[in-house]
Amino acid sequence: MVGRKSLTCTAAQVPLLKLCMAIIDEEVRLCFASCLAVDVPDTQWHQAQLCPKLAASDIGSPDNTHLQQAVSHFNAQISPQDSLTVEAVLNTPPQQKALSLKLDTHMFQTLVSSASPANKARMLSVSAPHASSWVSAIPSVSLNMQLDSEECQVAIRWWLGLNTSTASGAVLDPLGHHATSCRCGGDVVTCHNHLRDTFAEFCHRAYLPVRVEVGYGLSGDCINTRPADVLVQGWDRGKPAAFDITVTSPLTPATLRDASTFSGTAAHAAECRKHSTNDARCQELGWVCIPLAVETFGHLGKEALNVFSRLVSLLSIHAGCLKSVALCLTSTAE
């Protein structure tokens, strides 16, 4: 709780505090850029941090005059509809989490509104629930959750919309957009198969009977399709579930316009395509079709979110741990 008496700093100390924090902020930014081995422009730096700019610590001065100044300072950094009043702060002191959320939301909306369509689609995708969980995941060799220095550099650059190339000279696809969707070279197939195997492994850990790549040639129609990347018995009211994993980019010409306006457009479109292709076949086989769609920037489709939520519950039951612990164990599946 950020009350009037809970903080020792006053409005008179704010300028000095802001100067000190600005120096620290710049040092952190230089360190971050050094780790990435690339310059980090203001837009990407704001996206990387998305943190409150001292406003939360300003509110709570023990003096009404200072409180008015602190509230005015906070209101200058957010949207008018989210502004505070001195009376509201006195009657119900706001929590710092609530103040930080207002600041982060306003900063994010400002970044998106001034971005290009491709960057809008990227930022909407990476800001979705669990899309950026890998950034805060604790590295662990035993859980196969680690990146070497070059992998980390490329991944963070790509996440921020920076040049992903670590080589000198001209690069055909410096932002890495084409590389995440082009099927030439096998990278896309490798990524798909890794997701399939990881999902199947966590189903095994939840004591679910699993088979991979099932359905080819089991019926007369669409014999060249394979509706189940992972087939799990007894998932839906006794029926097997055919999980079809698909990775889609929000930056393709077909989805970019909508993906730059609405979060999750590409994942939703991928889910619809999979249902259109596989529903009839799965019904014939007595299965339930469940697409697991994920955008290249990490946005999970609604059906995938529901599946992972249920899988985490099953893992927590069988492992005898909290859901939060089971969620950490499944972070590589995201």
Side-chain angles (χ1 to χ4, degrees):
M1 182 68 71
V2 184
R4 295 184 64 207
K5 298 181 180 180
S6 63
L7 298 177
T8 57
C9 72
T10 65
Q13 295 172 305
V14 168
L16 178 59
L17 183 61
K18 289 174 66 178
L19 176 60
C20 293
M21 292 302 295
I23 294 174
I24 295 174
D25 190 64
E26 182 61 24
E27 290 298 320
V28 172
R29 179 174 178 173
L30 291 174
C31 180
F32 183 69
S34 176
C35 291
L36 295 185
V38 68
D39 290 334
V40 181
D42 290 343
T43 298
Q44 280 74 14
W45 175 239
H46 291 323
Q47 181 202 329
Q49 54 180 335
L50 275 181
C51 63
K53 297 296 185 181
L54 300 179
S57 61
D58 292 351
I59 296 177
S61 301
D63 183 288
N64 275 356
T65 302
H66 291 161
L67 180 61
Q68 177 64 59
Q69 295 175 4
V71 170
S72 298
H73 175 70
F74 179 83
N75 288 341
Q77 301 178 73
I78 62 174
S79 302
Q81 62 267 27
D82 293 326
S83 61
L84 301 175
T85 64
V86 174
E87 292 76 14
V89 173
L90 291 173
N91 294 332
T92 308
Q95 293 183 338
Q96 181 165 341
K97 182 178 181 180
L99 298 176
S100 297
L101 179 61
K102 288 178 181 287
L103 287 165
D104 290 347
T105 300
H106 179 66
M107 179 185 291
F108 179 75
Q109 291 173 344
T110 301
L111 288 175
V112 171
S113 64
S114 59
S116 65
N119 277 327
K120 285 181 180 179
R122 175 181 57 81
M123 285 190 282
L124 288 174
S125 186
V126 300
S127 64
H130 305 296
S132 298
S133 295
W134 65 275
V135 177
S136 57
I138 299 175
S140 171
V141 176
S142 61
L143 294 177
N144 195 27
M145 294 169 55
Q146 78 282 344
L147 299 173
D148 63 32
S149 297
E150 187 172 5
E151 288 173 336
C152 186
Q153 284 183 359
V154 172
I156 294 292
R157 289 183 187 184
W158 174 75
W159 180 65
L160 292 174
L162 297 171
N163 189 334
T164 59
S165 174
T166 58
S168 59
V171 179
L172 177 63
D173 183 29
L175 298 180
H177 297 163
H178 179 74
T180 60
S181 57
C182 179
R183 293 186 176 274
C184 295
D187 290 343
V188 171
V189 175
T190 300
C191 176
H192 170 275
N193 292 345
H194 178 71
L195 291 174
R196 176 203 62 201
D197 295 342
T198 303
F199 178 70
E201 170 62 23
F202 282 109
C203 287
H204 277 299
R205 294 187 186 184
Y207 293 93
L208 295 171
V210 175
R211 295 165 59 196
V212 298
E213 301 294 352
V214 183
Y216 182 82
L218 293 184
S219 68
D221 298 330
C222 305
I223 61 173
N224 292 322
T225 63
R226 193 162 35 221
D229 288 319
V230 178
L231 184 70
V232 177
Q233 298 292 336
W235 178 270
D236 186 3
R237 291 168 291 184
K239 288 186 176 182
F243 294 105
D244 194 349
I245 297 170
T246 178
V247 182
T248 183
S249 173
L251 304 181
T252 61
T255 59
L256 179 57
R257 186 181 65 176
D258 290 337
S260 63
T261 306
F262 305 104
S263 179
T265 298
H268 176 70
E271 288 177 336
C272 292
R273 287 195 301 270
K274 288 299 183 180
H275 278 299
S276 176
T277 302
N278 295 333
D279 275 356
R281 180 91 185 284
C282 287
Q283 185 175 4
E284 179 185 350
L285 296 170
W287 301 346
V288 177
C289 174
I290 304 179
L292 298 181
V294 58
E295 296 180 1
T296 51
F297 287 108
H299 191 302
L300 291 166
K302 289 184 178 180
E303 294 185 69
L305 280 173
N306 292 334
V307 168
F308 287 129
S309 177
R310 181 176 173 184
L311 184 58
V312 165
S313 297
L314 292 173
L315 282 168
S316 68
I317 292 172
H318 290 293
C321 63
L322 297 174
K323 285 187 178 181
S324 57
V325 175
L327 182 61
C328 291
L329 294 176
T330 57
S331 61
T332 53
E334 297 174 357

